[in-house]
Amino acid sequence: MTEAGQSAPRRLVSLKELEPLIREAFAAGKAFGLPVTGTSNLPTLSPNRDSILLGRADGPLKKGDLPLYRRSSGQYVLHRVVSVQKDGSYTCCGDNQCTLEPGIRPEQIIGKTVWIRRKGREFSPRHLGYRLWVWFWVLVLPRREALFRVRHAAGRLCRKLFPGKFKDHT
Amino acid sequence: MKTKSGFMLRSIAGCKVVVSVGKRTLDFNGIINLNDTGAFLWERLEQGATEDELVKAILENYTDVDEATARQSVVNFVKTLCDAGCLDD
C-alpha cells in the first residue's frame, strides 16, 4: 500500500487532458474550477493566487467576457474578448498584453468565466466594480503599451528609491 | 467525515485527480493528484466514511499493512484534506 497522505508524484495536468472533464461538468450543469496559470491576465488575475469557475458559454460572447478557447495550434488560452466582429468571430487579448488575436470562432470556445476568486474575494463577472475595471481596461487597450512602460519605469524608480521594499520582477 | 460537494474524482491518463466543479470548492486553488490509496480513501469519504471505517477498508483491501500503519495513513490523509478545505466539518 502506498501511504495515502503522501501526495502522488507531482505532474502538471494539461488543459487538453482536462477538456473532457470540463465538458462533463458542463453536461451535468456544473461549472469547472480552474486555477489561474500564466501572467497574461495580470493585473486582473494573478497565477498561484486567483482562480475562476468556467461555465458553459450559452449563446454568443460579449465584449469583456473572459473565455477559455483553443487556438488552431491546439493551445488553450484564457483571454478577454475585446471586440465581436460582424461575422461572429471574436478578437481577444490578455489583460497583460497589447497584441490582439483576431478570428477566434465560436466553435473554438470551451467555456467562459462565470465566477472569480481574486485575492481571496469572490464575485461574479457581473459585479459592478469588475465590470467598470474591464470596461476601462478594454477602453485603454490602444494605450496599454504606454501604460505598461509607465508602470515599468515607476517600478524601477521605486526600487531605486526604496531598495529592498519593492519586489524586483525583472 | 465527508468530502465537500463540488469535487469530482476522475482519472486522467491513468492518474487520479480531484477537480473542483462548484463555488464551494473554488477556494481550493488547484487540482489534487492522488495516488491509488488516496483515491481509494477519497471514494469512501464521498460516502461519508468515519476514520474507523477508512482503516477497516484499508485492512480489508491491502494485505501488506498493519492496523497502526493504516490508521496513521488515514489520519495523515484526512489532515491533508482538512487543511486543503476538502472536507465538510
Side-chain angles (χ1 to χ4, degrees), chain A residues 10-25 32 34 68 70 74-76 110, chain B residues 8 10-17 19 31 33:
Chain A
R10 214 177 152 81
R11 74 186 272 275
L12 288 174
V13 180
S14 72
L15 278 161
K16 187 180 177 189
E17 291 174 311
L18 283 179
E19 190 182 337
L21 301 191
I22 294 173
R23 296 201 183 278
E24 182 191 337
F32 194 91
L34 280 177
L68 176 76
R70 192 178 47 240
Q75 189 183 8
Y76 290 78
I110 312 289
Chain B
M8 201 164 79
R10 290 293 182 272
S11 190
I12 294 180
C15 295
K16 303 282 188 185
V17 295
V19 294
I31 289 160
N33 277 297

Side-chain angles (χ1 to χ4, degrees), chain A residues 8-85:
Chain A
R10 214 177 152 81
R11 74 186 272 275
L12 288 174
V13 180
S14 72
L15 278 161
K16 187 180 177 189
E17 291 174 311
L18 283 179
E19 190 182 337
L21 301 191
I22 294 173
R23 296 201 183 278
E24 182 191 337
F26 290 173
K30 292 175 178 170
F32 194 91
L34 280 177
V36 172
T37 55
T39 55
S40 66
N41 286 305
L42 285 169
T44 314
L45 296 172
S46 180
N48 303 319
R49 185 193 71 188
D50 303 329
S51 46
I52 59 147
L53 272 186
L54 200 69
R56 194 208 307 256
D58 290 320
L61 298 177
K62 295 192 295 289
K63 185 175 172 176
D65 281 344
L66 189 59
L68 176 76
Y69 57 92
R70 192 178 47 240
R71 286 179 173 152
S72 313
S73 64
Q75 189 183 8
Y76 290 78
V77 193
L78 185 79
H79 280 173
R80 195 173 301 286
V81 174
V82 292
S83 67
V84 180
Q85 307 305 316

Side-chain angles (χ1 to χ4, degrees), chain B residues 23-66:
Chain B
K23 285 179 193 170
R24 283 194 72 206
T25 52
L26 197 58
D27 55 348
F28 177 77
N29 189 1
I31 289 160
I32 310 169
N33 277 297
L34 292 178
N35 59 27
D36 286 343
T37 317
F40 174 81
L41 292 178
W42 180 279
E43 282 164 356
R44 273 137 197 90
L45 281 168
E46 283 179 331
Q47 314 301 320
T50 63
E51 186 181 307
D52 286 339
E53 285 167 344
L54 293 178
V55 173
K56 194 174 164 217
I58 286 185
L59 294 173
E60 282 171 1
N61 283 273
Y62 296 91
T63 51
D64 59 338
V65 63
D66 59 57

Side-chain angles (χ1 to χ4, degrees), chain A residues 159 167-170:
Chain A
R159 281 192 297 275
K167 281 185 200 166
D168 194 345
H169 292 292
T170 52

